[in-house]
């Protein structure tokens, strides 16, 4: 993709993500892109493989589901309004249409008594959705289990600002796409004087694959660099901001990482005195799972006091 086109669409995505709770018009978003309003919609659809309205609607619903699950004390009406819906009725209708389950069923999957209708997430994106998958450590076969907060060994750390070189996965969280991004980035770093043994590798994991189709999940591989290092496309300079992070050590099979990630939100955060800050989850890798057969890493969630 032409780097100017990519930069403009990236700017649009960032704008949308910052304004999901507001009404967004085609004219407004087109102005952010600096493309003609007469052509922007076609350009966006061609690059993102979904229309602007579909993208905004999907992201609002994905944000809303995370609020439903990880802030269980928040009334459904408040979740609806914070996610850009005009009323709880419109929100409930949209959730049911997209996920196949109502907001109350998603919040309480143990009370679901019959199979639901297939939602748009399955018919349009081919993704299976089961509300119980959102509660990996608290619900098994519909039964609520005791939480395991004491066993999680989460450490709260103050992290300094770090400059990083990033490369986005072109296929979301798909394994082949993730490894392709890392191979290119690792080679770039090695060619620029950062030996593999010295590379500090982080992934920006923006989305929750239990509610976002795998290919639509946003994943950026990144390696820490110094302030003087020059970065050119397709690589991009980003940053890990200074702040307080909850850090969970994980060592296990790659397919088990999602449970570890979700347990931070479902088991630890509600009683921690903290809430997530406005920054994506990070994964700090210590090994290559393709070589070792297991994944060793730390999971970082930027936090702030309630």
């Amino acid at each position: 993709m032409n780097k100017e086109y990519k930069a403009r669409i990236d700017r649009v995505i960032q704008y949308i993500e910052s304004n999901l709770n507001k009404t967004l018009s085609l004219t407004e978003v087109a102005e952010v892109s600096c493309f003609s309003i007469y052509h922007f919609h076609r350009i966006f659809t061609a690059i993102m493989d979904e229309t602007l309205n579909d993208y905004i609607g999907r992201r609002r619903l994905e944000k809303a589901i995370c609020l439903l699950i990880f802030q269980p004390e928040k009334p459904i009406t408040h979740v609806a309004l914070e996610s850009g819906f005009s009323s709880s009725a419109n929100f409930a209708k949209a959730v049911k249409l997209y996920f196949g389950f109502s907001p109350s069923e998603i919040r309480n999957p143990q009370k679901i008594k019959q199979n639901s209708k297939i939602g748009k997430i399955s018919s349009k994106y081919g993704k299976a959705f089961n509300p119980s998958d959102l509660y990996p450590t608290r619900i098994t076969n519909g039964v609520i289990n005791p939480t395991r907060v004491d066993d999680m060994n989460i450490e709260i750390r103050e992290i300094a600002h770090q400059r990083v070189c990033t490369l986005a996965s072109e296929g979301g969280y798909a394994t082949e796409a993730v490894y392709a991004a890392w191979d290119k980035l690792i080679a770039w770093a090695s060619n620029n004087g950062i030996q593999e043994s010295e590379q500090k590798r982080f992934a920006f994991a923006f989305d929750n694959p239990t509610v976002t189709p795998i290919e639509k999940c946003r994943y950026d591989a990144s390696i820490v660099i110094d302030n003087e290092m020059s970065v050119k496309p397709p690589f991009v300079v980003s940053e890990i901001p200074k702040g307080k992070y909850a850090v969970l050590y994980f060592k296990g099979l790659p397919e088990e990482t999602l449970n570890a990630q979700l347990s931070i939100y479902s088991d630890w955060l509600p009683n921690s005195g903290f809430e997530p800050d406005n920054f994506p989850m990070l994964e700090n890798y210590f090994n290559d799972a393709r070589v070792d057969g297991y994944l060793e890493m730390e999971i970082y969630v930027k936090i702030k006091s309630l």
Side-chain angles (χ1 to χ4, degrees), residues 70 75 119 131 137 146 169 190 193 226 236 241 298 304:
F70 302 128
T137 61
S169 163
S190 298
D226 61 34
V236 177
E298 289 179 332
K304 60 183 179 180

Side-chain angles (χ1 to χ4, degrees), residues 30-258:
E31 288 178 353
V32 173
S33 74
C34 296
F35 286 120
S36 164
I37 187 174
Y38 302 107
H39 305 289
F40 166 72
H41 193 276
R42 295 186 182 90
I43 293 171
F44 184 92
T45 302
I47 292 176
M48 299 300 295
D49 197 30
E50 58 187 326
T51 67
L52 178 67
N53 284 341
D54 280 352
Y55 179 85
I56 293 173
R58 175 173 66 80
R59 289 297 301 131
R60 280 187 175 137
L61 286 165
E62 290 166 359
K63 173 186 176 182
I65 295 307
C66 289
L67 290 175
L68 280 174
I69 300 305
F70 302 128
Q71 297 187 27
E73 76 290 344
K74 189 183 292 290
I76 290 177
T77 298
H78 291 182
V79 172
L81 297 177
E82 288 181 20
S83 303
F85 294 88
S86 59
S87 69
S88 58
N90 288 339
F91 173 60
K93 182 179 179 180
V95 170
K96 182 76 172 182
L97 182 64
Y98 187 79
F99 290 104
F101 298 89
S102 69
S104 59
E105 287 175 325
I106 290 173
R107 186 167 264 181
N108 300 284
Q110 73 274 16
K111 295 182 180 180
I112 298 174
K113 297 181 180 179
Q114 60 184 7
N115 292 332
S116 185
K117 295 181 179 180
I118 295 176
K120 187 177 179 181
I121 191 173
S122 177
S123 61
K124 181 176 177 62
Y125 296 104
K127 177 172 178 55
F129 176 77
N130 185 336
S132 294
D133 293 340
L134 293 162
Y135 304 86
T137 61
R138 291 198 293 154
I139 295 181
T140 303
N141 296 325
V143 178
I144 299 179
N145 300 316
T147 59
R148 301 180 301 190
V149 177
D150 293 339
D151 298 331
M152 294 183 67
N153 295 321
I154 287 183
E155 179 183 348
I156 298 175
R157 297 182 194 167
E158 291 286 345
I159 304 299
H161 170 270
Q162 297 180 85
R163 184 172 183 254
V164 294
C165 174
T166 70
L167 181 65
S169 163
E170 295 182 358
Y173 288 179
T175 302
E176 298 80 4
V178 166
Y179 282 134
W182 275 113
D183 287 343
K184 292 177 183 177
L185 183 60
I186 289 170
W188 175 89
S190 298
N191 291 335
N192 282 273
I194 309 176
Q195 300 302 314
E196 288 197 30
S197 60
E198 300 173 353
Q199 294 173 7
K200 190 171 184 180
R201 302 168 185 169
F202 286 92
F204 290 68
F206 292 88
D207 299 305
N208 181 348
T210 56
V211 297
T212 303
I214 292 295
E215 70 280 3
K216 297 295 185 183
C217 289
R218 295 163 297 157
Y219 178 102
D220 289 355
S222 71
I223 290 178
V224 176
I225 58 175
D226 61 34
N227 292 330
E228 288 71 40
M229 185 167 288
S230 176
V231 174
K232 298 179 180 179
F235 306 98
V236 177
V237 173
S238 188
E239 67 172 20
I240 297 173
K242 174 184 177 181
K244 192 185 300 291
Y245 291 77
V247 183
L248 174 64
Y249 173 79
F250 172 83
K251 183 177 181 180
L253 297 176
E255 56 267 27
E256 296 174 343
T257 59
L258 180 60

Side-chain angles (χ1 to χ4, degrees), residues 17-37:
E17 293 296 319
S18 299
N19 293 279
L20 284 172
N21 61 330
K22 302 176 183 177
T23 300
L24 294 170
S25 69
L26 173 61
T27 300
E28 176 184 359
V29 179
E31 288 178 353
V32 173
S33 74
C34 296
F35 286 120
S36 164
I37 187 174

Side-chain angles (χ1 to χ4, degrees), residues 201 248-254 257 283-289 292-299:
R201 302 168 185 169
L248 174 64
Y249 173 79
F250 172 83
K251 183 177 181 180
L253 297 176
T257 59
E283 298 173 347
N284 179 21
Y285 302 119
F286 300 139
N287 74 326
D288 187 336
D292 299 328
Y294 64 87
L295 181 60
E296 185 177 9
M297 67 175 180
E298 289 179 332
I299 303 167

